[in-house]
Structures are given as C-alpha cells and as structure tokens.
Amino acid sequence: MECHLLRFLGRHRRLLDDRVCAAIGTERVVWLVQPFDAPRAWGDGEWQGRDFLPKDSTARTAWTGLWPPRGSQPTWDAIGHATHDGVEEWLLVEAKANLEDLRSSCRASPQGGRPMIERALDRVKRELGVPHDRDWLTGHYQLCNRVAVFHALMEHGVAARLLFIHFVSDRGGPGRTCPGSAAEWAEALAAQDAHVGLPAGHPLDDRIHRLFLEVAPR
C-alpha cells in the first residue's frame, strides 16, 4: 500500500489530485512533504497524531490530554491542504490495498495507556451517536483512532476532511487478499462499518470520504 501512494504522489500526482478532488468535492489539494525516518527501510516516515499542526495550535496541545504521550500514535499515510469553496482545510489520508489491512486491535497495556485510549474513544462514540456496545478497541481499531483524531481537530475549530483510499488490483499473495474492483471491497467495508457503528448523518458524515483507486489506471 505505502509504495502505491508514494508512487502516485511522486510520479502520478496530477492524476491523484484529480481523483482526490473529485472524491471530496474540493477545487485543489496541495500535499505536505513527508517527514524523514532514518531507521525505516526507505528512510521515509509518516505524520503522527497532530504533529502536522503548528506547535502553538490549541488542537495540538489539547491532544496531550486526550491520548497517551507514550507508545504508538495514530499515523497518516499523507497530509494535504484541500481548498473547498475558497477555504483551505486539512486533508488526512489513510490508504489500504488489501482486506487484511482493514483489521487491527489496540495493543496498549491495561497498566499503561489503554484506559486513556478507551476513555477517548468512548467520548467520541457518544459525540457521534455510536452505540456504547460497539467495540472500538478490537477489530477495526485503526479506523476508530483515526476518526478520534479527526473528531478532536474539528472540535477545536480546525477545518479538515478524512479520506480513505482503497487501492484496486494490487498484487495478492500469501496472507494478502487484494480486491480487483470497488465491488470486491464492498463486503469487507460493509462489515467494517457495521462493526464500528457510525450512524448515517453523524456530525462528521459529510467530511469522511472514500476513494477507490486503480493501482495502474487504464
């Protein structure tokens, strides 16, 4: 997945921009440069939590009271500025290329940051009208914590949009189920949505988007 998004950002940016703008209903998008991370295989890192915001941003400083400062932070595959009706908004991107990547669970320790994470997610569930019994810690935790970050941004007056890019026709292999069409993504995404329980018309509904993008568009 990561290589596909980096390839589009580096070699097919005009096509990517056109598809993204059509999916989210904006006029243009300008991408932030990804941070470096020397220990990683390619030396490229990802934006974490709300580190992309100015250091004096209220939304950034408030995050320290909502999420454990240690351990893994929610990360973004890409961050951009999207212009909508002349107004600039943040664009947060999470990308997937196979069905297995949809599933994840919280690995924080009950003696560590897990209780704080659970409180943060429960609060977002209440705000968005999600039934209390929906488990946001197991099954689709990655999606849920991205929604939590997004919700916190909007709560502090930071205009943003959240885009999930689902790549189509990636190469499959052992342990990788790669849909060849948007329709082949549908069943797994429907199961994910049912598990998470975001109701239609929730307060962030019109700012969360999906884009199905061919690995090699014809």
Side-chain angles (χ1 to χ4, degrees), residues 68-84:
R70 297 183 179 180
S72 299
Q73 295 288 314
T75 60
W76 305 104
D77 294 316
I79 297 282
H81 294 288
T83 303
H84 182 72

Side-chain angles (χ1 to χ4, degrees), residues 54-136:
K55 290 186 178 181
D56 60 352
S57 167
T58 301
R60 178 167 177 167
T61 55
W63 184 245
T64 59
L66 297 173
W67 206 263
R70 297 183 179 180
S72 299
Q73 295 288 314
T75 60
W76 305 104
D77 294 316
I79 297 282
H81 294 288
T83 303
H84 182 72
D85 291 337
V87 177
E88 192 173 88
E89 304 173 332
W90 288 101
L91 176 61
L92 316 179
V93 177
E94 178 73 20
K96 303 294 182 189
N98 61 76
L99 299 184
E100 288 72 23
D101 275 352
L102 293 177
R103 299 193 61 82
S104 59
S105 296
C106 179
R107 294 184 290 180
S109 167
Q111 290 75 39
R114 190 182 182 97
M116 190 175 186
I117 292 172
E118 187 168 9
R119 287 194 298 272
L121 296 182
D122 283 346
R123 181 173 174 274
V124 176
K125 286 160 62 176
R126 289 194 301 272
E127 294 286 335
L128 299 184
V130 175
H132 179 71
D133 62 353
R134 299 305 171 94
D135 187 355
W136 277 25

Side-chain angles (χ1 to χ4, degrees), residues 14-85:
R14 180 175 296 179
L15 172 61
L16 176 66
D17 290 356
D18 288 346
R19 297 289 180 85
V20 167
C21 287
I24 67 178
T26 57
E27 294 95 58
R28 71 179 187 131
V29 59
V30 177
W31 301 100
L32 266 64
V33 175
Q34 293 290 100
F36 287 110
D37 188 355
R40 299 187 70 180
W42 295 356
D44 294 318
E46 295 178 318
W47 291 103
Q48 297 191 20
R50 288 188 275 185
D51 287 351
F52 55 90
L53 295 174
K55 290 186 178 181
D56 60 352
S57 167
T58 301
R60 178 167 177 167
T61 55
W63 184 245
T64 59
L66 297 173
W67 206 263
R70 297 183 179 180
S72 299
Q73 295 288 314
T75 60
W76 305 104
D77 294 316
I79 297 282
H81 294 288
T83 303
H84 182 72
D85 291 337

